[in-house]
Amino acid sequence: MSISSVLERPREDSPASPGSGSRTRAWARARARGAALPSAVVAVLFAVYAVFSVRRHALMLTTGYDLGIFEQAVRSYAGGHWPVSSLKGPGYNLLGDHFSPITATLAPFYRIWPSPLTLLVAQAFLFAVAAYPLCRWAQRELGKAAAVTVGLAYGASWGIASAVVFDFHEIAFAVPLLAFSVVALGERRWRAAVWWALPLVLVKEDLGFTVAAIGLYVAWRGSRRLGLAAAAFGIAASLVEMFVVLASVNRSGYAYTQFLSSDPAAAESGSTLERILTLPLQLVSPEPKVVTLLFLAAITGFMALRSPIALLCLPTLGWRFVSSNTAYWGVIFHYSAVLMPIVFVAFVDVLVRRRRAAEAGDEGVRKAALRSQRASLGVTAAVALIMLPLFPLWQLPSLWKDDPHVTAARTVIGYIPDGASVTASNRFVPQLTSHCEVTGLGFPDMGSRYTAQWILADTKAPHGWPLTAAGESEALDQAWAQGYRTVVERDGVVLLKRP
């Protein structure tokens, strides 16, 4: 009896039936063996992501925007407060920026380990565990080699790699939820797909539209009533979060409506009709959007495009491409991480449907289908290897090198006592947010009038945003003019204190 046949055994076996105890034990053992390979893939990915993230933080390559912001939110939750981030402004409630209450689930872990590493390790786990349903489905339907290939290709995909390198973001929670939900779609388990999708509305306000897309897929392929109910819920949740919840917390309204045009000039002066008429052009122009679409299709050798599941990418691509914020258009940052499980599930869906169609044919048809499957998996593995050097996970070996500038910075940071108020350079912020009250040097809306007890600047190797080395030096000049005095300076890292 094969593992797959045992795994598919109905659960209706009753322990009271003759021989059912042995059948149940056999089923449990086979299920455990079937889970071993997906679990191993998850473990490998988790180790790589966690080591990469921890080493980047140790070398001060993480930043206040956004790791520091999220740590302040989780720290507030852990203290029983609203998610306030002083890096966004005095008393700024992050529920007025993005609707991401799911980050509160990290608060218990943060109380045990109050460190930005809590967030980074949690994100590594969330990204890695998304490979589990992918591998499990591929193993059951296509075999072990397919499971390993799909799992590792997902893990090395550019969308995940770019997210891992860019600190921590709430979308880490969406990636495994989408993986479990969309795999359930491929397996035609409609209720499971909807239940896994519903918590997405707690991750970020735009993901209700993805929930709606999943609901519409369920209505199209399976249960119409269930699907339409999920679609209505998703749309309603996003609209309420954007225009009621966020608008009530943030007095200026939902902050991101200002980006609802891919032309910055049109966003300020164009009429609503003009924006609607130019919408098709906004989706494919300018060039970074085309590159994103090509990269998205290329990671599975364009095979994923043959599955209707790939249509679930449209809500995320839609809001990104109609935006005037150019950071949303390309292949860097974390914005494409939520697309990776969708694309790889669509890829597996194509292979599974081909395999099942071939099973109805003769031996020659089945052999041809197997060769085609191997070729498709080979192309996907090759693309993953070719693209890997283009994205940050390739930098892992270089992260073990010591940096004298970081050593000097740690020495200077050691002068700052716990509980102090500090205005710090972007790359120093997450080194302080666990034990100090921190604002960002040169951060938006912070102004140039300093109120913190300490100022920590880097005039040699700053992050580059929001201030260059020259900008950091200018900020120090302003601080000196306001009465701050130098406490210590090492290798361009300067610490000032208000008398």
Side-chain angles (χ1 to χ4, degrees), residues 45-199:
L45 296 180
F46 171 67
V48 172
Y49 299 156
V51 169
F52 184 88
S53 299
V54 169
R55 285 302 301 165
R56 287 192 75 256
H57 183 70
L59 293 175
M60 298 188 182
L61 297 175
T62 54
T63 61
Y65 257 77
D66 290 314
L67 178 58
I69 291 172
F70 280 104
E71 187 187 1
Q72 287 185 334
V74 174
R75 185 182 177 189
S76 292
Y77 278 130
H81 307 295
W82 292 109
V84 172
S85 173
S86 57
L87 292 165
K88 292 283 288 185
Y92 192 98
N93 187 337
L94 286 181
L95 289 179
D97 185 46
H98 288 302
F99 188 73
S100 305
I102 200 167
T103 55
T105 59
L106 295 177
F109 304 99
Y110 190 85
R111 288 181 67 88
I112 297 170
W113 187 21
S115 166
L117 297 180
T118 300
L119 281 67
L120 294 175
V121 171
Q123 177 172 262
F125 173 77
L126 291 167
F127 283 154
V129 80
Y132 185 86
L134 274 168
C135 291
R136 184 187 59 189
W137 186 32
Q139 180 182 6
R140 184 168 61 245
E141 298 285 353
L142 306 171
K144 292 181 179 180
V148 173
T149 302
V150 169
L152 295 182
Y154 153 81
S157 63
W158 58 269
I160 299 298
S162 295
V164 170
V165 78
F166 190 37
D167 295 355
F168 172 90
H169 293 89
E170 73 288 308
I171 55 89
F173 290 94
V175 174
L177 289 172
L178 279 167
F180 279 98
S181 175
V182 183
V183 165
L185 289 182
E187 295 175 326
R188 303 181 68 82
R189 295 184 293 116
W190 310 122
R191 288 187 179 275
V194 169
W195 281 113
W196 279 110
L198 293 182

Side-chain angles (χ1 to χ4, degrees), residues 126-442:
L126 291 167
F127 283 154
V129 80
Y132 185 86
L134 274 168
C135 291
R136 184 187 59 189
W137 186 32
Q139 180 182 6
R140 184 168 61 245
E141 298 285 353
L142 306 171
K144 292 181 179 180
V148 173
T149 302
V150 169
L152 295 182
Y154 153 81
S157 63
W158 58 269
I160 299 298
S162 295
V164 170
V165 78
F166 190 37
D167 295 355
F168 172 90
H169 293 89
E170 73 288 308
I171 55 89
F173 290 94
V175 174
L177 289 172
L178 279 167
F180 279 98
S181 175
V182 183
V183 165
L185 289 182
E187 295 175 326
R188 303 181 68 82
R189 295 184 293 116
W190 310 122
R191 288 187 179 275
V194 169
W195 281 113
W196 279 110
L198 293 182
L200 290 170
V201 302
L202 302 177
V203 177
K204 195 162 171 278
E205 63 277 2
D206 65 276
L207 286 170
F209 297 116
T210 299
V211 174
I214 291 171
L216 291 176
Y217 187 96
V218 171
W220 174 33
R221 293 285 191 169
S223 172
R224 177 170 298 182
R225 178 178 297 181
L226 176 65
L228 292 179
F233 172 80
I235 293 172
S238 279
L239 294 178
V240 169
E241 289 169 6
M242 289 178 179
F243 301 110
V244 178
V245 177
L246 293 175
S248 66
V249 177
N250 189 338
R251 294 183 179 180
S252 60
Y254 182 48
Y256 296 92
T257 54
Q258 61 180 306
F259 296 130
L260 295 182
S261 170
S262 65
D263 181 356
E268 298 180 359
S269 60
S271 68
T272 301
L273 179 60
E274 289 173 334
R275 298 182 195 181
I276 293 174
L277 292 176
T278 60
L279 183 59
L281 182 61
Q282 294 174 29
L283 296 176
V284 295
S285 176
E287 181 181 340
K289 300 177 185 178
V290 178
V291 173
T292 297
L293 292 174
L294 287 174
F295 274 42
L296 193 62
I299 54 176
T300 60
F302 296 87
M303 285 286 290
L305 297 180
R306 302 185 182 189
S307 169
I309 288 176
L311 294 172
L312 300 179
C313 293
L314 292 181
T316 296
L317 291 173
W319 74 257
R320 287 174 57 187
F321 286 0
V322 301
S323 171
S324 62
N325 188 340
T326 58
Y328 296 158
W329 301 347
V331 296
I332 59 174
F333 303 125
H334 58 287
Y335 302 111
S336 295
V338 295
L339 302 177
M340 298 300 105
I342 297 173
V343 169
F344 279 92
V345 171
F347 174 58
V348 175
D349 179 56
V350 172
L351 296 184
V352 168
R353 288 189 287 110
R354 281 187 171 184
R355 180 74 168 263
R356 290 177 177 174
E359 288 174 355
D362 57 24
E363 185 67 19
V365 171
R366 290 194 292 272
K367 288 183 178 180
L370 183 59
R371 288 194 297 270
S372 176
Q373 174 183 306
R374 290 172 178 169
S376 297
L377 291 168
V379 169
T380 298
V383 170
L385 290 174
I386 291 171
M387 296 182 73
L388 189 59
L390 303 178
F391 293 92
L393 285 178
W394 190 258
Q395 300 169 1
L396 183 58
S398 67
L399 297 181
W400 299 105
K401 298 178 181 177
D402 293 331
D403 186 337
H405 185 68
V406 170
T407 302
R410 292 201 179 283
T411 300
V412 174
I413 290 173
Y415 283 80
I416 303 173
D418 290 351
S421 61
V422 188
T423 295
S425 296
N426 194 18
R427 69 183 301 199
F428 295 150
V429 165
Q431 307 295 322
L432 297 162
T433 41
S434 64
H435 56 279
C436 293
E437 300 301 320
V438 188
T439 53
L441 190 65

